[in-house]
């Protein structure tokens, strides 16, 4: 038999829906409007992926 740790997924690998991430934008220290822009075209993302998307979005040059 395998151990319980092998059967459960690590917390970071859980992928949240776009709506869940936008609703909890404050968790990432941003407003929902920023989260909408950062997640443009993304339906699911882990917390780590969301953080990277936010950083990339905020570092883009405004034209």
């Amino acid at each position: 038999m395998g151990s319980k740790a092998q059967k459960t997924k690590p917390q970071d690998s859980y992928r949240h829906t776009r709506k869940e991430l936008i609703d909890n934008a404050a968790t990432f220290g941003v407003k929902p409007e920023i989260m909408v822009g950062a997640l443009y075209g993304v339906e699911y993302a882990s917390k780590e992926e969301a953080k990277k998307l936010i950083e990339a979005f905020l570092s883009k040059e405004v034209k």
Side-chain angles (χ1 to χ4, degrees), residues 9-63:
K9 289 184 177 181
Q11 185 69 12
D12 290 341
S13 69
Y14 180 77
R15 295 175 59 90
H16 302 274
T17 65
R18 176 181 170 86
K19 182 175 180 350
E20 288 175 326
L21 292 167
I22 293 169
D23 289 345
N24 294 292
T27 303
F28 297 94
V30 298
K31 293 183 178 183
E33 295 84 359
I34 299 296
M35 190 64 83
V36 169
L39 296 174
Y40 181 77
V42 175
E43 290 300 319
Y44 298 95
S46 68
K47 287 182 181 180
E48 288 301 315
E49 291 170 333
K51 287 178 187 177
K52 289 178 184 177
L53 290 168
I54 292 167
E55 289 173 13
F57 180 75
L58 292 175
S59 67
K60 286 185 180 178
E61 183 178 331
V62 178
K63 295 182 180 182

